Amino acid sequence: MTILAFALSVVLLLITTLHVYWGIGGIWPGTDTKSCARAVVGFRGVDEMPSSLASFAVAACLALATLWPLALEGVFASPFPKQGLAATALMIGLVFLGRGIAGFTPWWRQLAPEQPFARLDQRLYSPLCLLIGLGFAILAITEFPA
């Protein structure tokens, strides 16, 4: 399970880094703010990226999630009991699973129809969320102390 924990942490670290990049004004994968927002935000009529504060807040949450699998595997000391780490990992997994499932619903598509976001969401963002959520769920279930 340590390989799964490290894989989850690496993927989440990359996603965290992207949010920090956007928070400091980065525009990839677009060519300007509007095209970047249409690729990574996707809400109807979006023409600018979320505020730096919003990007950094998401990055902070992702950074914490990045550390969780490593703490659960005992890679570093944690003040939390293993049972609490496992339960929280399951909750984190459910959040990612929920986001992943939402990306395939008509409700979400109406909320976030902009292209290329809608295409990227169904091909990349939502499946990645499902995999991350599944990884957290597997870690939580297998690491839950007996």
Side-chain angles (χ1 to χ4, degrees), residues 5-45:
F6 276 106
L8 279 172
S9 292
V10 167
V11 168
L12 287 167
L13 181 60
L14 292 171
I15 297 169
T16 301
T17 303
L18 273 173
H19 282 80
V20 169
Y21 167 75
W22 293 324
I24 60 174
I27 57 168
W28 183 85
T31 56
D32 57 24
T33 303
K34 185 175 182 174
S35 65
C36 184
R38 292 174 78 85
V40 300
V41 178
F43 292 122
R44 186 176 306 283

Side-chain angles (χ1 to χ4, degrees), residues 40-61:
V40 300
V41 178
F43 292 122
R44 186 176 306 283
V46 69
D47 60 358
E48 61 183 35
M49 290 293 286
S51 69
S52 292
L53 180 62
S55 293
F56 292 140
V58 172
C61 292

